[in-house]
Amino acid sequence: MAQCIPTVYPVRAMSHCTCNCGVGNFILCLCHALGMMLFARGHDHTVWKLASHGSTLYSADGKGTVKLWDMEALLRGCVHTIPVAHTEAILAMAANSDLLFTAGSDLTIASWDCRTLKKVHSAKDAHEDDIDSLLIVGRFLFSTSHSKIKVWEIRTLQHKHTLQGLHHRVRALVYDRKREKVYSGSHNVIHVWDAVEPFSMTARIDTKFGSIYSIVLTKRYIATGTYNRNVHLYDVETHEYKHALSGHLGAVATMATSPTGSFLVTGSHDSTVQIWDLEKALPYQILQRHESCVNTVLVRNDLLFSGSDDKEIKVFKLFRMQDYSAS
């Protein structure tokens, strides 16, 4: 039986910023096991969040700055900067073809025109605590904070609904398009919600592994990254607990899946990015290229991006597939 495995390849090049910010450069870096990779020095504060749509990569930091990068021409460096998108750290972003949404510690949700990068709407005091995640589902935007998930009209940022039954900080959301469900991760619990009005809770998966920091879906699994330093896998159909993936030494703050869904990428407060083979429930590779907590990872096509407290964005040439015969 043939399977696909990811191979890390060199990304070779160097550039200078084109947005006139003076610091948005991709710089050549030598990695011992991986060959070459790129890293971006465009932020002067913690990189909290990465998001993308089409060929545009968005990065946001602890000073409330958003930077834009062309993923098809990374050598150009940063192509645009929104210098004061928020007054405090931006912890959450989401984008579609028309709008970029940002939110964070200033308790404000803002929408931006993706073409002009002008602010369209803002909802001040949208939550009473840090806004940890944003999720676009059709014409709605979901946002989370301590014990709250709110739903907003995407075009106007008018508050539509507040989901009930939450008692702890909600750090993570993911959308299941096939089932039209939204999954949220909190302390010792995963909630499953209808993604359409009236946004009812349809299931509750009780866990025992502490706070959930990140959550993703594959065809087989609900995967959660937790404070207890592990990834936990649940059957997406039955919600039965299946496996734990152990190897990180810090909270698993962020996750992404490979294009095929066979591999999981995790970023941790232990400063590493790890790749896991979900078919075998085993670790595949450890990337030790950051000097501090990894807060965000993103996979697009054959590129893996990671952002960290060390103020850098690392770019790996990843997931160029090759077949092998499983033993």
Side-chain angles (χ1 to χ4, degrees), residues 104-105 107 127-132 144-146 169:
S105 297
L107 314 185
H127 286 266
E128 297 175 357
D129 203 347
D130 287 356
I131 300 170
D132 292 306
T144 74
S145 66
H146 190 279
R169 187 172 180 180

Side-chain angles (χ1 to χ4, degrees), residues 58-129:
Y58 302 93
S59 58
D61 68 23
K63 289 184 67 176
T65 299
V66 176
K67 289 184 175 289
L68 281 68
W69 318 80
D70 184 349
M71 290 188 286
E72 294 180 351
L74 288 172
L75 307 189
R76 295 175 61 194
C78 172
V79 296
H80 196 90
T81 298
I82 306 174
V84 192
H86 288 260
T87 59
E88 297 183 50
I90 298 172
L91 306 176
M93 285 197 297
N96 62 17
S97 59
D98 299 317
L99 295 169
L100 168 70
F101 296 90
T102 56
S105 297
D106 65 0
L107 314 185
T108 296
I109 301 173
S111 62
W112 308 82
D113 187 297
C114 287
R115 287 172 288 276
T116 67
L117 299 179
K118 301 295 184 182
K119 186 182 290 186
V120 180
H121 294 289
S122 64
K124 295 184 178 181
D125 297 319
H127 286 266
E128 297 175 357
D129 203 347

Side-chain angles (χ1 to χ4, degrees), residues 31-302:
C31 295
H32 298 292
L34 305 180
M36 302 290 186
M37 73 174 186
L38 292 168
F39 64 89
R41 282 181 174 164
H43 291 278
D44 58 6
H45 209 283
T46 295
V47 179
W48 279 111
K49 190 65 179 178
L50 299 171
S52 70
H53 191 273
S55 63
T56 303
L57 173 72
Y58 302 93
S59 58
D61 68 23
K63 289 184 67 176
T65 299
V66 176
K67 289 184 175 289
L68 281 68
W69 318 80
D70 184 349
M71 290 188 286
E72 294 180 351
L74 288 172
L75 307 189
R76 295 175 61 194
C78 172
V79 296
H80 196 90
T81 298
I82 306 174
V84 192
H86 288 260
T87 59
E88 297 183 50
I90 298 172
L91 306 176
M93 285 197 297
N96 62 17
S97 59
D98 299 317
L99 295 169
L100 168 70
F101 296 90
T102 56
S105 297
D106 65 0
L107 314 185
T108 296
I109 301 173
S111 62
W112 308 82
D113 187 297
C114 287
R115 287 172 288 276
T116 67
L117 299 179
K118 301 295 184 182
K119 186 182 290 186
V120 180
H121 294 289
S122 64
K124 295 184 178 181
D125 297 319
H127 286 266
E128 297 175 357
D129 203 347
D130 287 356
I131 300 170
D132 292 306
S133 60
L134 296 173
L135 177 69
I136 298 171
V137 180
R139 64 186 183 90
F140 299 114
L141 178 74
F142 290 72
S143 64
T144 74
S145 66
H146 190 279
S147 74
K148 291 285 193 305
I149 300 176
K150 293 188 177 183
V151 186
W152 311 81
E153 291 282 356
I154 202 169
R155 293 293 174 187
T156 63
L157 283 184
Q158 293 297 308
H159 179 240
K160 183 72 175 179
H161 190 72
T162 300
L163 305 188
Q164 303 297 321
L166 299 159
H167 305 288
H168 296 278
R169 187 172 180 180
V170 185
R171 290 183 170 90
L173 292 172
V174 66
Y175 176 49
D176 185 339
R177 188 181 303 275
K178 177 183 176 182
R179 298 170 181 82
E180 291 194 316
K181 302 294 183 185
V182 171
Y183 296 73
S184 64
S186 187
H187 182 74
N188 283 340
V189 65
I190 303 165
H191 289 102
V192 186
W193 313 86
D194 282 329
V196 296
E197 296 182 84
F199 310 110
S200 302
M201 186 194 302
T202 61
R204 174 189 172 108
I205 307 169
D206 290 308
T207 70
K208 56 183 179 180
F209 306 111
S211 294
I212 295 170
Y213 278 57
S214 50
I215 186 168
V216 296
L217 295 177
T218 72
K219 291 180 180 179
R220 293 178 60 186
Y221 297 119
I222 307 164
T224 62
T226 62
Y227 178 78
N228 82 339
R229 304 175 295 180
N230 296 323
V231 175
H232 299 280
L233 304 179
Y234 302 82
D235 187 283
V236 74
E237 298 287 350
T238 66
H239 299 167
E240 178 186 1
Y241 182 70
K242 305 300 289 186
H243 304 287
L245 304 178
S246 301
H248 280 296
L249 301 177
V252 182
T254 177
M255 295 194 295
T257 59
S258 69
T260 64
S262 297
F263 291 85
L264 180 69
V265 178
T266 58
S268 170
H269 290 175
D270 66 9
S271 80
T272 70
V273 174
Q274 296 200 29
I275 303 170
W276 308 84
D277 183 337
L278 290 179
E279 300 298 323
K280 297 181 178 180
L282 292 172
Y284 179 78
Q285 192 168 11
I286 300 175
L287 308 177
Q288 296 175 304
R289 295 296 160 232
H290 283 288
E291 296 179 359
S292 191
C293 299
V294 178
N295 301 311
T296 178
V297 296
L298 184 144
V299 174
R300 283 296 176 269
N301 300 320
D302 60 350

